[in-house]
Amino acid sequence: MATVKVTDIIDRASRIIQDTSNVRWTKAELLDYFNDAQREVVLHRPDAKTVNETFTCAASSKQTLPAAALRLIDVVRNVDGRVVTQVSRQVLDEQLPNWHNDPAAGATEVKHFVYDPRDPKTFYLYQKPQNTVEIEIVYSTAPATVTSSTGDENNLSDIASTVIGLDDVYSNPLLDYVLFRAYSKDTEYAGNMERAAMHLQNFANSLGVKMQIDAAEKADRLELERERIASQER
């Protein structure tokens, strides 16, 4: 459950970068960094924001996740029925080459699911279900973008009570990512490139993401990250 407020993250970042008047980095800019941070957390840790809900199957072996889903985490069970286990597509393909059409009439219960993260919004079910079959699925979703409508870049009073979209345990990685983005803006100043790289490393370490940045690679890594961010913002 989240209790940390979005503005708490922004205010802490402002103090750390020594810009409490928000002259160099406005609160609106830091809010943009915060929204990027939440998306970045879910990109690396899909389990950070999940939905567990009932899913009504299509009358096909192929199923498409809800529009809000980023990727499938698990298929738990038939609603009020048997569990559903994950199997390798290769196993089904080799042992039951016609499994996508077996049985042709459609089953009233699902036994297995197949999922490939390279096609994150699609999964397959065996046996092919009827369109009335309901299963319980868990999927990853993106946190809602937090926006302010005050019209003032340094007035976020309308979101003063808004909490972060992830559990409180992710508040420190979120702060580190905001600081990484802030320091990346001013890498021409002495020490800021190293500070940016440090906070990016802290962010990765907190999430258990392998991101090795040694002294010789810091500048190249940071520059690549800045170029990726710049391309997203264009």
Side-chain angles (χ1 to χ4, degrees):
M1 179 179 175
T3 61
V4 175
K5 295 181 176 61
V6 174
T7 52
D8 291 342
I9 301 283
I10 292 172
D11 289 344
R12 286 181 64 191
S14 297
R15 290 194 296 271
I16 292 171
I17 59 181
Q18 299 182 0
D19 186 25
T20 54
S21 296
N22 299 106
V23 176
R24 179 58 177 147
W25 295 274
T26 66
K27 289 185 177 182
E29 183 176 5
L30 295 177
L31 179 59
D32 287 340
Y33 297 164
F34 168 81
N35 284 313
D36 290 342
Q38 291 206 121
R39 289 188 286 267
E40 199 74 14
V41 167
V42 174
L43 175 66
H44 294 291
R45 288 292 302 270
D47 59 323
K49 184 72 173 178
T50 60
V51 174
N52 183 320
E53 69 179 20
T54 298
F55 176 84
T56 302
C57 300
S60 169
S61 63
K62 181 179 180 180
Q63 307 292 321
T64 301
L65 288 172
L70 297 177
R71 57 162 294 163
L72 183 70
I73 301 295
D74 197 12
V75 178
V76 181
R77 63 186 177 113
N78 291 271
V79 173
D80 298 326
R82 65 178 291 161
V83 299
V84 181
T85 57
Q86 185 172 10
V87 297
S88 165
R89 193 186 74 183
Q90 182 178 354
V91 170
L92 286 177
D93 289 350
E94 290 176 353
Q95 297 184 9
L96 298 166
N98 198 41
W99 67 274
H100 288 284
N101 294 313
D102 182 24
T108 58
E109 198 171 52
V110 175
K111 295 180 179 178
H112 306 296
F113 77 97
V114 173
Y115 182 67
D116 185 341
R118 295 173 298 181
D119 185 14
K121 297 194 176 185
T122 302
F123 64 104
Y124 295 85
L125 297 176
Y126 176 80
Q127 296 169 312
K128 186 180 78 172
Q130 297 177 2
N131 60 9
T132 56
V133 173
E134 293 185 328
I135 57 177
E136 182 181 322
I137 65 171
V138 181
Y139 59 82
S140 174
T141 189
T145 299
V146 180
T147 59
S148 172
S149 57
T150 63
D152 184 339
E153 288 187 329
N154 282 322
N155 180 4
L156 304 182
S157 58
D158 57 335
I159 60 167
S161 61
T162 302
V163 297
I164 63 177
L166 307 173
D167 284 343
D168 284 348
V169 70
Y170 292 104
S171 61
N172 285 340
L174 291 173
L175 175 62
D176 274 312
Y177 194 84
V178 170
L179 292 170
F180 154 65
R181 291 291 301 275
Y183 283 124
S184 295
K185 180 179 178 178
D186 279 338
T187 52
E188 68 270 20
Y189 293 104
N192 277 6
M193 180 174 289
E194 289 75 15
R195 292 186 184 98
M198 178 190 71
H199 286 292
L200 180 60
Q201 185 69 70
N202 289 344
F203 170 81
N205 290 343
S206 295
L207 300 182
V209 178
K210 185 177 181 182
M211 187 181 292
Q212 296 178 347
I213 308 177
D214 61 29
E217 295 175 339
K218 280 182 179 179
D220 289 343
R221 170 68 189 180
L222 188 59
E223 185 60 29
L224 287 172
E225 189 68 14
R226 289 183 67 192
E227 289 177 359
R228 183 179 72 84
I229 292 166
S231 67
Q232 291 177 342
E233 292 179 344
R234 283 198 292 266

